[in-house]
Amino acid sequence: MKRNVVRVADEVWIVVAHLHRRFPDRDDFSISEIMKAAHALGVTGTTPLRPSLKAHVYHHCVANREPSPGRYKMLLETGEGRRRLFRPHDPCHPLRAKGKTQPDSREIPKAYTDLIPWYGQWCGVGTPPSDKDPLLGLKGLGQRLEESEGTRDAEQPPVPREQLTRRVFWDTGLFALLLEGADDVRTNRVVTLRKRMLHRGDQLLMSSLTLSAVLEKPMQMGREDLMREYEELIGSGATVIPFDQAAASTFAWLRQDHSIQPHDAYQLACASVVGVDLFVVDDNRLQGKLIPGIESIQSIDKVRI
């Protein structure tokens, strides 16, 4: 493998992986630190650095940024001007869902191939157990506004492997159940579904309308602290889909079916535009609907988890 033909994205990954391994106590690195490390490491053996390398660090390789046009998901933006390597449980933009996360060992210099198995171990260390998932931290938080007590999770049997899905969209009702935190069958099924999704490495998607609905009550109560907590928990565990021009066009088409209410049409439009394997709703009102871009629509009562 000739050093000077290494892909720019692969070079970025090598540099950041090198930093993580050299500084195991660091959670992330600034873009300037990554660029300095790239100069020092000299992966391609040429100087100066290729002009597009910084653009890859800043945007093209970043999983939670909108692709333009690269769809790599090798890095995660942890804060303004800060990056770390991507882990499988991290949020990413829907259009990057199938993006490349690491180099092919055959396409990088032999001096760096040992970073590939190291990365697998690093990802394992960094994968949070389901009981520490940020989204599951929402369970019962809504009751804090009413000074009520939390509840316990229910245990469910493991999911058969043939039932796996990859991109799962939750309707607003599931978040409402989670926030209410009641110790009932439906809430426990929401919790169990999320745990199984974490186990499988599924991606959770939600609409911007759901986010606004979640924030509405604490805003009415003047609880900015709880609003921030909700936003942080959701932002850490889910990808929020905006209602853009493509979604607006799909919404208009869906509303030609008068049995689909505006709220549902909004949610379905967001899911349809990005494409999902499973759309989960809190009841049976969308039973039997066939929507382009949505493989299956199921209620939380009937979804196979």
Side-chain angles (χ1 to χ4, degrees):
M1 174 70 203
K2 294 182 179 180
R3 298 177 74 189
N4 60 359
V5 296
V6 177
R7 290 184 173 88
V8 176
D10 290 346
E11 181 180 2
V12 168
W13 185 93
I14 288 170
V15 171
V16 180
H18 171 79
L19 284 171
H20 277 296
R21 191 162 67 171
R22 184 178 178 188
F23 304 103
D25 295 332
R26 293 280 301 276
D27 292 327
D28 56 17
F29 304 93
S30 68
I31 291 176
S32 62
E33 288 176 316
I34 294 170
M35 295 305 296
K36 288 178 182 177
H39 279 285
L41 202 58
V43 173
T44 64
T46 60
T47 55
L49 294 174
R50 288 175 285 185
S52 64
L53 192 138
K54 188 171 184 178
H56 278 71
V57 175
Y58 183 80
H59 191 101
H60 297 322
C61 289
V62 183
N64 49 341
R65 279 178 168 261
E66 183 177 0
S68 63
R71 301 194 177 191
Y72 298 108
K73 53 177 184 178
M74 292 181 163
L75 304 180
L76 186 78
E77 181 178 40
T78 55
E80 186 174 357
R82 303 196 68 80
R83 304 286 186 268
R84 69 162 167 82
L85 286 180
F86 178 83
R87 284 185 171 117
H89 66 273
D90 288 333
C92 79
H93 191 280
L95 295 179
R96 294 184 186 261
K98 297 181 180 180
K100 181 179 178 180
T101 59
Q102 67 182 56
D104 185 324
S105 61
R106 298 166 297 181
E107 297 178 348
I108 61 175
K110 290 184 178 180
Y112 304 110
T113 55
D114 61 330
L115 288 171
I116 304 296
W118 168 87
Y119 176 64
Q121 296 175 355
W122 184 81
C123 286
V125 170
T127 302
S130 60
D131 60 354
K132 294 184 179 179
D133 172 58
L135 275 174
L136 292 180
L138 287 172
K139 186 171 185 286
L141 275 181
Q143 295 185 8
R144 287 166 48 179
L145 294 178
E146 303 170 356
E147 299 182 349
S148 54
E149 297 180 353
T151 59
R152 297 177 302 157
D153 295 342
E155 294 296 328
Q156 298 288 345
V159 64
R161 298 298 296 179
E162 66 271 12
Q163 297 175 15
L164 302 189
T165 56
R166 296 303 305 172
R167 292 160 62 79
V168 183
F169 190 102
W170 283 15
D171 182 56
T172 305
L174 274 69
F175 287 92
L177 289 169
L178 200 59
L179 285 165
E180 291 167 3
D183 194 9
D184 58 22
V185 173
R186 290 206 303 163
T187 301
N188 288 331
R189 283 185 66 80
V190 173
V191 172
T192 302
L193 173 60
R194 178 56 181 163
K195 289 181 176 180
R196 302 314 297 158
M197 287 175 61
L198 287 168
H199 175 71
R200 295 185 295 246
D202 292 346
Q203 182 184 9
L204 175 59
L205 297 88
M206 62 185 290
S207 75
S208 53
L209 181 64
T210 293
L211 178 59
S212 65
V214 168
L215 298 177
E216 182 177 0
K217 188 170 183 179
M219 180 176 288
Q220 289 175 346
M221 302 293 291
R223 291 290 304 276
E224 293 185 7
D225 59 325
L226 201 53
M227 285 180 61
R228 288 193 297 270
E229 188 171 359
Y230 284 4
E231 287 179 316
E232 290 173 3
L233 291 171
I234 289 173
S236 298
T239 298
V240 180
I241 309 302
F243 188 76
D244 57 14
Q245 185 174 350
S249 177
T250 304
F251 173 89
W253 177 78
L254 288 167
R255 285 293 289 147
Q256 302 309 300
D257 181 344
H258 297 298
S259 68
I260 299 178
Q261 297 301 308
H263 168 87
D264 291 325
Y266 185 108
Q267 304 283 1
L268 291 168
C270 289
S272 174
V273 166
V274 298
V276 300
D277 300 296
L278 177 63
F279 183 104
V280 188
V281 66
D282 60 333
D283 60 25
N284 295 318
R285 64 185 182 276
L286 297 176
Q287 184 84 22
K289 296 295 182 184
L290 300 177
I291 310 298
I294 301 177
E295 186 71 22
S296 176
I297 300 175
Q298 298 183 33
S299 72
I300 189 60
D301 298 316
K302 296 182 179 180
V303 64
R304 299 171 66 185
I305 56 177

